[in-house]
């Protein structure tokens, strides 16, 4: 009877230890790469404490800010070209993913301002062939608008008639070793 009771107690102890072991297993709620570890094996942690940082290196984002005088030009989905000092002339493509609806605020809830407010912007970046790493500093150029098949000249090269019509002076070949200067009206 003693042996049977000891076996039952031992089996219950094993069941409880097995449950404790199962409860100690931590499963990440997301997939990705572990980029920081804040605990070691055998160490205990506070409930809700940070154990690991897991990041998806295939879904990179840039967090930036845009001044209020430029924020009206941005729209979600606009194309972005991203470059970093570490990757040299390599350009990565991206898109504007999210634009903050309020100006950035400090810890007290006051608008952060040094003359004009800034708005948070998130940009999703295609990692391309690699070279981009979490935590890098990047420069993002947003294409607000573009036009094809146009010529670009210095602003000082454009003249205006009395009626406000814009023109540039164009040199065209005339005779041998001679050019003729002609006024060509343009749309600016």
């Amino acid at each position: 009877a003693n042996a049977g009771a000891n076996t039952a107690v031992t089996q219950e102890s094993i069941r409880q230890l097995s449950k404790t072991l199962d409860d100690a297993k931590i499963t990440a709620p997301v997939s990705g790469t572990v980029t920081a570890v804040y605990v070691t094996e055998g160490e205990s942690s506070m409930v809700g404490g940070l154990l690991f940082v897991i990041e998806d290196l295939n879904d990179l984002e840039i967090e930036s800010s845009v001044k209020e005088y430029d924020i009206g030009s941005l729209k979600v989905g606009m194309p972005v070209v991203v470059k970093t000092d570490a990757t040299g002339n390599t350009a990565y493509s991206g898109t504007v993913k999210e634009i903050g609806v309020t100006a950035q605020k400090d810890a007290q809830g006051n608008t952060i301002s040094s003359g004009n407010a800034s708005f948070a912007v998130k940009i999703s970046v295609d990692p391309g062939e690699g070279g981009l790493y979490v935590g890098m500093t990047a420069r993002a150029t947003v294409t607000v608008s573009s036009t094809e098949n146009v010529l670009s000249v210095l602003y000082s090269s454009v003249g205006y008639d009395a009626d406000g019509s814009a023109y540039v002076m164009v040199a065209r070949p005339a005779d041998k070793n001679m050019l003729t200067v002609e006024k060509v009206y343009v749309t600016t």
Side-chain angles (χ1 to χ4, degrees):
N2 250 354
N6 285 341
T7 301
V9 168
T10 302
Q11 287 175 344
E12 179 60 23
S13 293
I14 290 172
R15 189 189 66 72
Q16 287 177 358
L17 289 171
S18 179
K19 183 179 179 328
T20 301
L21 184 59
D22 287 343
D23 290 345
K25 291 180 184 174
I26 299 169
T27 304
V30 295
S31 63
T33 302
V34 175
T35 58
V37 178
Y38 295 100
V39 294
T40 58
E41 186 176 343
E43 183 181 352
S44 62
S45 176
M46 292 177 41
V47 174
L50 185 60
L51 305 176
F52 306 96
V53 174
I54 300 173
E55 297 177 283
D56 183 356
L57 303 181
N58 294 315
D59 188 19
L60 298 177
E61 283 185 355
I62 294 174
E63 293 181 1
S64 187
S65 62
V66 174
K67 296 291 184 186
E68 68 181 288
Y69 52 81
D70 288 326
I71 198 68
S73 301
L74 294 184
K75 304 274 183 276
V76 171
M78 286 182 142
V80 180
V81 175
V82 176
K83 291 185 177 183
T84 71
D85 289 338
T87 56
N89 289 330
T90 304
Y92 298 87
S93 61
T95 56
V96 175
K97 181 178 180 178
E98 190 177 307
I99 301 170
V101 294
T102 63
Q104 292 177 318
K105 301 188 182 327
D106 62 18
Q108 288 76 38
N110 300 315
T111 298
I112 300 171
S113 177
S114 60
N116 58 40
S118 294
F119 292 79
V121 175
K122 285 188 182 177
I123 298 168
S124 62
V125 182
D126 179 1
E129 298 298 315
L132 292 178
Y133 297 96
V134 173
M136 276 185 162
T137 301
R139 291 176 307 283
T141 304
V142 179
T143 304
V144 175
S145 67
S146 64
T147 305
E148 294 185 24
N149 299 318
V150 295
L151 297 176
S152 175
V153 298
L154 293 173
Y155 180 76
S156 59
S157 299
V158 180
Y160 294 91
D161 282 340
D163 66 357
S165 300
Y167 66 87
V168 293
M169 301 304 288
V170 178
R172 298 197 190 269
D175 292 331
K176 227 185 226 184
N177 298 326
M178 298 293 288
L179 296 173
T180 303
V181 177
E182 172 183 339
K183 185 187 280 190
V184 176
Y185 288 94
V186 295
T187 302
T188 59

